[in-house]
Amino acid sequence: MDFRNNELTEQVAQSAKDFALQYIKPHLMEWDESQEFPVHIFKELGKLGMMGVLVPEAYGGTGLGYYEYSAIIQEISKVCGSIGLSVAAHNSLSTGHILAFGNEEQKQKYLPKLATAEFIGAWGLTEPNTGSDAGNMKTTAVKDGNNWIINGAKSWITHGKSGDVAVLIARTGEPRAKNNCTSFIIERGTAGFTAGKKENKLGMRASETAEMIFDNCIISDEQRMGEVGEGFKQSMKILDGGRISIAALGLGIAKGAYEASLQYSKERHQFDQPISNFQAISFKLADMATKIECAELLINQACDLKMKHLPMTKEAAMAKYYASEISVEISTDAVQIFGGYGYTKDFPVEKFYRDSKLCTIGEGTSEIQKLVIGREILK
């Protein structure tokens, strides 16, 4: 495995970095305070091809690989985790699901609009009472002739209010039965499909999280993806790839916190010398740098396997688990290095601290990742 960045990956990373510094950094605290979901930013990212990173050029995407995708999310998340999260959710989940499991007509209809961010995508699996226990979902889809009638609610959905199109996983069989879920594509504006409560979150406040509600929502069977009963299996495969993106998100936040801490430790003087001279600080920085290198290697390993179309469930779970946990650890240490200033909104590390925690929860908690890893190593 050769994990050295090639020229294309470096160019893509630099483009994402330049965009983040110019268009995101000046406004990130404004968006955070107001909880604004800056749709216009994603439209601009769409013009750069960063909302359809993995979508083939034939469907209007950029046709890049997971190394480039990871680099984009990292560079954006080094500046703002909220924007990084929304880019990851749009690419990996809704767009990724249609790319992987949609038929040709569905791909032609939706991928070009998603890849350019003409459409913002949402993905609905989680429900108010079924997080990790997604197999026991209450949202149902009942066949009625050539239509499906959908009832229920999805919660904690990224872009649940502003998304133009949603991929929905609904129960089409008995509770707890095998192969009891099916996936559908639903457009905003469909009768019976509305947005519910928008969550008031600790972090990631510029990435919209809201309920999606279905009240006798009728859609055609043409909106179904794959065979009836395949929805849960499809979702697990989508989450495998999605774990790489959340790992990259956590790593980007960790890198942002580390780089801010490194710079601050050289500028902040105590006892007539920079605090970086003190072993207590230099050891924290050494731990940060080591954890970042480890997370990067795990992510690159998962990317390598994904690009070779080899099994990577264990490796993706390891990357997501480790990167998300060290993101919290590094951002916590960053606040400590900044001291009292780190606890204020005048410096960036308090936002990294708040944003990082989501990485250990979203797209499978750390506990679920350990469950996945345990099952894989005990096969």
Side-chain angles (χ1 to χ4, degrees), residues 205-259:
R205 290 164 63 83
S207 178
E208 178 188 276
T209 305
E211 292 177 317
M212 297 194 303
I213 298 172
F214 303 91
D215 182 8
N216 289 322
C217 177
I218 301 174
I219 59 171
S220 167
D221 189 55
E222 294 177 357
Q223 298 301 103
R224 170 174 52 85
M225 276 194 291
E227 297 301 320
V228 173
E230 291 183 345
F232 190 75
K233 290 180 179 178
Q234 293 175 4
S235 299
M236 294 304 101
K237 292 177 181 178
I238 292 303
L239 287 172
D240 267 354
R243 285 171 185 145
I244 294 176
S245 68
I246 300 301
L249 171 67
L251 179 57
I253 291 171
K255 285 181 175 181
Y258 165 70
E259 291 175 7

Side-chain angles (χ1 to χ4, degrees), residues 55-61 104 108 112:
V55 176
E57 292 181 20
Y59 299 114
E104 187 59 29
Q108 293 283 358

